[in-house]
Structure formats: structure tokens, C-alpha cells
Amino acid sequence: MRLVIKIGTQVISSKTGLNKKRIRQIIKEIAELLKLGHEVILVSSGAIGAGLPLVNFKDSVCKKVAAAVGQPMLMHNYINGAKKYKIVVGQILMLSDDFTNQKNFKNLILHINAMLAHKILPIINENDVMKGEDLIINDNDMLSAIVAVGVKADKLIILTNQDGLFTDNPDQNKKAELIKDVGDIDAKIKAVCSVGKSDLGVGGMCAKIASAEYATKGGVETLIGNGEKKGIILKAVGNNFSGTRFLAKNNSKR
Ligand code: GLU
């Protein structure tokens, strides 16, 4: 299977910086997938999360500076984790133009495919330092969905700090239930994200639903699960996934 795995900021970082142990765990599971013959494209947030503890000032450019400091730290940890399994990683940093400009997008897909052909693990993030505020792509959730459709992935796995999509805010309503399968992303499903527990990243649950809608319309099954749980990546590929699964549409068109 061809898999796009998106890792949210909260999964791999906290106020004190990167969670190196979690990064090692993620790479370990990816290594198992690669061993089984799957193809993996990783979309990882966490640059700003990694850099913020080292940037002790607060103004409008603070986040950009944090991203500039944090992106190499993020990659350093992925490279270190991957070394153990003899996995070589490659970095792709993207701007909105790379999606809207057809030539850029064609190049992106070409080079992701080339990396996969060379058994290199592509690790993608937004180019946070260079990005403007007038974005089409404002978070890595949508970025991962566009990439997943572009590379004709079999699954998009979005990992966050929540178990998935709930019928209500699970922190406030003990009766809130995890929605295991979503066929149609209708108004009822979209309404759920506005009451659900939101995470601290740019995305939040509404962005994840919008991304799932984009990906499933493009024929890519989308899963949202808790990246803090060991084994979640392997489960997402198997049949015992414990999060929310959005069924793919239009598979025949691909
Ligand atoms: N690109 C940002 C980072 O690496 C995160 C954006 C997001 O949360 O989607 O820190």
C-alpha cells in the first residue's frame, strides 16, 4: 500500500520541545511498514514546536524564527531514528504555490515518486519561514490530503492527540462516543468538529474533517487516530484501527 502519514505538532512536541522517544517510536513503526513492502510518505509538523523553547522573544516573526531553528532539529531526530533501520530520509519544504502552480505540483509528485523508487523516506513540511499569511494551504492536514491525492495514496493517516472524531466534546460530555466510520461527510459530521475538543496546532478537528473530505473525494481513505498510542500506525494499516475511518469515494476514477 502507498501511505501518507501526517504527524501533528502535539504528537511529537510539548512546551519543552521535541518528544524524541515518540519520534523514535514513529520511525520504528514506519520501518516495519517498509519491511512489509508498503510505501510511506511522512508529513510532519513540529518545526515551530521544536524551536519555540529556544526562541526567547515574542513578536510577529517569532514563529518564523522558531521554525527556522526547529526544522533542522526535527529532521535531525528523524534522521537519527531512521539510521537504526538503515532508512535514508529526504526533506521537502512546501509553499502554497507548489500546489497551485501546475508545473510545481507535477515536479513535487515526480520527486516524491523518485524518492520512493530510491527507497528514500520523504518527510514533508510547510516552508514555515517563507510562507505568507494569505495561504490556501494553512496547515499540514490539508497539505497531507493534497499530497495523498496527488500521489494516489491508498490511505491517509492523520495522527493527532485525540482518539478521533467524537459525537460531542469528550472532555465535557462523558456520553460522547467515538465515531468509528464515516461514509458521507455531511453537515452533521461537520457540526461535530465545532463542539469537539480542539488541539493546539494550526489544524484542529475542523481542518482534519476538511482534509478528510478532500482526500476521500479524491479516492483516498482517511484515518484520524491518536498518535500518542503505541502501535497506532501499524493498526491503521491493519484491521483493528481504534480511531475514525472516513471511507474513500470515487475510487474508480483513479
Ligand atoms: N508547519 C508547522 C510546524 O511544523 C505546523 C503546522 C500545523 O500545525 O499544521 O511547526
Side-chain angles (χ1 to χ4, degrees):
M1 266 192 269
R2 182 169 276 201
L3 310 157
V4 174
I5 303 173
K6 188 260 169 176
I7 312 289
T9 296
Q10 291 81 1
V11 175
I12 52 165
S13 72
S14 64
K15 277 190 184 134
T16 55
L18 286 175
N19 182 335
K20 297 174 183 173
K21 203 173 151 199
R22 179 88 27 81
I23 292 179
R24 283 199 296 272
Q25 176 63 27
I26 287 165
I27 286 288
K28 186 177 175 221
E29 290 183 39
I30 289 175
E32 287 192 42
L33 292 179
L34 297 176
K35 221 169 125 189
L36 291 168
H38 298 296
E39 291 180 314
V40 177
I41 296 145
L42 191 60
V43 175
S44 181
S45 301
I48 297 169
L52 269 182
L54 297 166
V55 178
N56 56 2
F57 61 89
K58 280 208 188 310
D59 65 16
S60 61
V61 292
C62 180
K63 273 190 168 182
K64 306 264 175 192
V65 176
V69 171
Q71 180 63 28
M73 292 169 73
L74 184 64
M75 288 307 291
H76 176 76
N77 277 276
Y78 279 121
I79 291 167
N80 269 349
K83 224 187 270 169
K84 189 175 166 187
Y85 306 96
K86 296 193 168 50
I87 299 168
V88 179
V89 309
Q91 173 185 261
I92 306 176
L93 296 179
M94 308 196 47
L95 292 170
S96 284
D97 282 356
D98 300 322
F99 291 103
T100 50
N101 178 314
Q102 269 195 16
K103 205 175 128 202
N104 288 15
F105 193 64
K106 237 176 115 181
N107 269 333
L108 170 75
I109 303 304
L110 184 83
H111 296 134
I112 291 176
N113 283 328
M115 284 190 192
L116 295 176
H118 282 84
K119 305 277 177 223
I120 288 165
L121 171 66
I123 304 185
I124 308 176
N125 194 3
E126 302 164 282
N127 188 336
D128 288 302
V129 180
M130 296 306 291
K131 80 177 193 184
E133 300 311 323
D134 54 335
L135 285 172
I136 294 161
I137 315 294
N138 194 28
D139 60 71
N140 275 341
D141 294 318
M142 189 51 85
L143 183 152
S144 65
I146 298 175
V147 167
V149 173
V151 299
K152 297 186 169 49
D154 297 286
K155 282 182 203 251
L156 166 63
I157 302 162
I158 298 179
L159 297 180
T160 182
N161 60 344
Q162 303 171 50
D163 286 343
L165 188 64
F166 283 83
T167 51
D168 199 354
N169 186 336
D171 283 344
Q172 290 161 9
N173 180 357
K174 285 203 172 107
K175 286 185 181 157
E177 283 174 21
L178 181 77
I179 304 170
K180 287 190 175 159
D181 289 296
V182 178
D184 289 317
I185 301 177
D186 53 18
K188 226 170 124 191
I189 289 292
K190 285 180 187 166
V192 171
C193 78
S194 56
V195 296
K197 178 180 150 192
S198 85
D199 57 30
L200 298 168
V202 183
M205 202 43 89
C206 290
K208 286 172 184 55
I209 292 177
S211 309
E213 189 172 25
Y214 182 92
T216 53
K217 273 187 185 162
V220 183
E221 181 180 292
T222 303
L223 300 106
I224 299 177
N226 193 334
E228 293 172 349
K229 288 188 174 167
K230 259 191 190 170
I232 189 82
I233 295 176
L234 297 171
K235 282 183 182 167
V237 179
N239 289 323
N240 52 350
F241 183 62
S242 53
T244 303
R245 185 187 305 266
F246 297 81
L247 304 177
K249 311 261 172 205
N250 298 331
N251 233 330
S252 54
K253 282 189 190 167
R254 299 169 73 202

